[in-house]
Amino acid sequence: MEAIKLESLTHFSDDKMQKIPLFDSEKYFCDLYCLKPGQDQRIHTHGESDKIYVVMRGAGLFHIGGEERELEGGHAVIARPGEAHGVRNTGEQDLVLLVFMVPRP
Amino acid sequence: MEAIKLESLTHFSDDKMQKIPLFDSEKYFCDLYCLKPGQDQRIHTHGESDKIYVVMRGAGLFHIGGEERELEGGHAVIARPGEAHGVRNTGEQDLVLLVFMVPRP
């Protein structure tokens, strides 16, 4: 059985946000993003893909489609195709995100 | 911004497991499953789809591809195409699962 304890896979780097692959097929990616305070995923856009972020712990400032909002653990948010999106860890705790991207870019 | 507080959408029924749609496109479903103690999603199979379960709270007994394993909050597991899969809340707490299914069946 392909079961994973998410916290056992988290790792952080002083260098930049860490992206940890969990599951994928030719149709999607499912990853963990691990951001130390101050780290970010720069704002970017995918023309065809939905990206769903689920905040597992910590809090992040999300920029999606020109709006900004801080979301903490237990929240989910989606960037639809063509919506510019990014996230920054503006808190003092580590930030862990579960991220689904469909289809793969 | 399409942001959701997951716990604000959970609801349970004495009748059966509740499935709450969160996000979707023509390519995938993203739902919350809410199971009271004793409730289950019966074992079934999809020929083409991956299904990812993420345990948000509670604990469930997962049956995937002929294996059984209890998983609690913070664990994720995948049923690949053709793998029989189901889950039962065998605990005393409510069970909340985040579920991704790609592609839609």
Side-chain angles (χ1 to χ4, degrees), chain A residues 1 4 28 50 67 74 76 100, chain B residues 1 4 6 28 50 67 76 100:
Chain A
M1 189 181 300
I4 291 172
Y28 71 93
D50 283 13
E67 285 184 78
F100 291 84
Chain B
M1 188 182 301
I4 290 172
L6 300 179
Y28 72 94
D50 283 13
E67 284 185 79
F100 291 83

Side-chain angles (χ1 to χ4, degrees), chain A residues 75-95:
Chain A
H75 286 75
V77 67
I78 188 167
R80 300 284 185 181
E83 285 190 314
H85 58 280
V87 57
R88 178 181 295 274
N89 184 352
T90 49
E92 297 181 356
Q93 308 297 320
D94 292 337
L95 173 62

Side-chain angles (χ1 to χ4, degrees), chain A residues 33-48:
Chain A
Y33 292 2
C34 298
L35 297 89
K36 294 177 69 113
Q39 293 181 336
D40 70 344
Q41 183 182 45
R42 299 240 180 115
I43 295 169
H44 63 291
T45 304
H46 302 287
E48 309 291 337

Side-chain angles (χ1 to χ4, degrees), chain A residues 6 22 30-33 52-56 96-100, chain B residues 54 56 76 98 100:
Chain A
L6 299 180
L22 298 179
C30 174
D31 300 311
L32 279 183
Y33 292 2
I52 297 169
Y53 296 97
V54 182
V55 184
M56 301 305 288
V96 177
L97 304 171
L98 181 68
V99 182
F100 291 84
Chain B
V54 183
M56 302 304 288
L98 182 67
F100 291 83

